Amino acid sequence: MACYGDDYQLNNGLLAPFYERGELRGLVAVENLNPALNLDFNYLIELTADFVGAKVTGKNLEEQRDNDVLTKLNDRHPYLAKLNFYQKSQTSRTVGVAFMDLNGLKKANDELGHDAGDKMLIASGNLISQAFGRDYVYRVGGDEFVVRAARRNSKVIVLLLRKL
């Protein structure tokens, strides 16, 4: 904790937590921000907390950024990177993409609590991963999953989707 003289005055501040495996490990604090700088301080402090948290816990920032904390699946960052790669690729290739929205999550959260909703998301992610392989499954939103099915026969993809 910083210690200041008697003349120090705290005018404003931001706190951002950093986590490891869902547990709070520390806080990053910024004091007396200058609003005249016209910066998105919330975004900057969150990035700083992610960076400091990764260094403190020894995590790789890319791994932290690319993996959904709850489901341990890929998140939207690697999905968007793959999508960008395919769009810029000069070779012709067919890529199957399935978008899935988990029905009933809001109701589960409202009626049973967020722990029940989290369990529902984890179970759904595991089910989708078992069908398609963890490397091809992405959690891209609150209750939204995407499967990237490169190099698979479309009939096999449809069959796997129907089993879900």
Side-chain angles (χ1 to χ4, degrees):
M1 191 73 174
C3 188
Y4 303 100
D6 293 336
D7 61 340
Y8 177 77
Q9 181 177 350
L10 178 64
N11 297 316
N12 59 49
L14 281 175
L15 287 175
F18 59 88
Y19 298 89
E20 180 185 24
R21 293 187 189 102
E23 290 187 37
L24 179 66
R25 293 292 182 207
L27 295 168
V28 173
V30 178
E31 303 170 343
N32 294 331
L33 302 167
N34 181 353
L37 293 175
N38 200 24
L39 298 172
D40 184 350
F41 288 110
N42 289 332
Y43 179 67
L44 289 174
I45 190 73
E46 286 174 14
L47 284 177
T48 303
D50 285 347
F51 178 75
V52 171
K55 290 298 179 188
V56 168
T57 61
K59 267 192 154 181
N60 178 327
L61 280 176
E62 287 79 20
E63 180 184 321
Q64 187 177 5
R65 178 199 66 205
D66 292 347
N67 292 302
D68 179 62
V69 174
L70 180 66
T71 63
K72 309 295 187 251
L73 295 172
N74 297 308
D75 70 10
R76 65 186 178 89
H77 294 102
Y79 168 70
L80 293 173
K82 282 287 185 186
L83 187 62
N84 189 40
F85 169 77
Y86 289 135
Q87 288 173 336
K88 290 183 177 181
S89 177
Q90 298 299 315
T91 61
S92 65
R93 84 176 61 188
T94 301
V95 178
V97 178
F99 295 89
M100 298 175 214
D101 184 90
L102 186 59
N103 292 332
L105 180 64
K106 181 175 179 356
K107 185 175 181 178
N109 281 334
D110 291 347
E111 294 179 9
L112 303 172
H114 286 275
D115 286 342
D118 288 351
K119 287 177 184 173
M120 192 174 167
L121 284 166
I122 293 166
S124 298
N126 288 338
L127 186 66
I128 298 166
S129 294
Q130 288 170 4
F132 290 95
R134 195 165 215 77
D135 291 343
Y136 302 100
V137 180
Y138 305 83
R139 182 174 174 214
V140 296
D143 64 348
E144 297 161 345
F145 296 87
V146 172
V147 173
R148 179 182 52 88
R151 300 187 193 111
R152 288 222 179 159
N153 180 306
S154 62
K155 291 179 183 176
V156 172
I157 294 169
V158 170
L159 183 66
L160 289 170
L161 286 170
R162 285 190 177 144
K163 283 185 177 182
L164 292 175

